[in-house]
Amino acid sequence: MQPSRWGARRVEIVATEIADVKLVRPRRHGDDRGFFSEVYRTDVFREAGLPVHWVQDNHSLSGSTGTVRGLHFQTPPFAQDKLVRVVRGAVLDIAVDLRRSSPTYGRFVSQELSAENWLQLFVPKGFAHGFCTLTSDAEVLYKVTEYYAPEHDGGVAWDDPELAIAWPVAPEQAILSGKDRNLPRLADLEAPFE
């Protein structure tokens, strides 16, 4: 049996409404002991034309429902592809297209990721990424293809009316970092991606 066929039965990769953002569906195989799941396979990602060179794994915990992290990106040459999943709780995950020449510039993909649905979101370079917690004690894991480079850190305002994201929390109730409260709107951003 060929490895790609074997892998495709365990990890499925499908396009979202913005084709470059992918929904990744690992299979879970369970019995009375619990479950087993292959959450990432290089051969399946390579076959789908996606990055396979991950350099850093990140893990965040957000204690309260309504915590917003984002919308973040890193500028070239440290732009990051991300593979995002939730291992406890649930989040509404968002990827906003910031590629100036893209027909979907300024549009976004919205996907609930949870420990229950076991979905992952692949967010390519050229997108801002963020999420809002739908539960308390939400834990998010994500792989990236470039190391964190603070001097290349950027973002766009999570509540920018031009983006019109239907966040599950009112602006006055959202829990944000000081940095995230002061990110520029899309109209004021010099998007660094072609």
Side-chain angles (χ1 to χ4, degrees):
M1 185 177 292
Q2 296 177 356
S4 60
R5 285 188 56 214
W6 184 82
R9 290 188 303 168
R10 288 166 172 75
V11 179
E12 179 185 12
I13 299 173
V14 296
T16 64
E17 55 270 22
I18 299 178
D20 292 334
V21 177
K22 307 290 186 192
L23 191 62
V24 179
R25 292 186 181 119
R27 304 277 195 262
R28 279 196 288 198
H29 306 279
D31 58 25
D32 57 349
R33 300 167 299 165
F35 71 84
F36 173 83
S37 180
E38 292 179 350
V39 296
Y40 170 77
R41 286 184 55 102
T42 294
D43 59 343
V44 174
F45 266 62
R46 185 174 286 130
E47 194 172 281
L50 298 176
V52 298
H53 181 71
W54 305 100
V55 299
Q56 183 175 314
D57 282 315
N58 301 320
H59 188 154
S60 77
L61 166 67
S62 299
S64 300
T65 302
T67 298
V68 175
R69 294 181 185 256
L71 299 159
H72 303 145
F73 59 86
Q74 282 194 179
T75 60
F78 295 98
Q80 298 173 322
D81 299 295
K82 295 180 179 180
L83 181 60
V84 185
R85 69 189 189 108
V86 172
V87 295
R88 182 165 54 151
V91 304
L92 181 67
D93 206 59
I94 305 290
V96 179
D97 192 348
L98 297 181
R99 300 168 299 173
R100 292 186 307 266
S101 60
S102 170
T104 56
Y105 177 79
R107 289 184 35 208
F108 64 91
V109 170
S110 171
Q111 176 66 53
E112 182 176 329
L113 303 179
S114 71
E116 185 176 319
N117 71 22
W118 209 240
L119 297 173
Q120 298 178 51
L121 197 66
F122 170 76
V123 180
K125 295 173 184 171
F127 283 73
H129 172 256
F131 62 83
C132 178
T133 57
L134 302 173
T135 63
S136 59
D137 297 322
E139 290 190 61
V140 178
L141 302 176
Y142 56 102
K143 296 179 172 304
V144 294
T145 54
E146 288 292 339
Y147 296 110
Y148 175 63
E151 65 280 8
H152 290 271
D153 197 21
V156 63
W158 74 285
D159 58 350
D160 184 343
E162 184 179 343
L163 297 177
I165 297 170
W167 292 97
V169 63
E172 64 277 5
Q173 295 174 327
I175 301 166
L176 293 111
S177 70
K179 178 184 100 171
D180 288 353
R181 282 194 190 284
N182 296 301
L183 292 173
R185 291 186 173 192
L186 185 63
D188 301 322
L189 181 72
E190 189 174 325
F193 306 105
E194 282 303 319

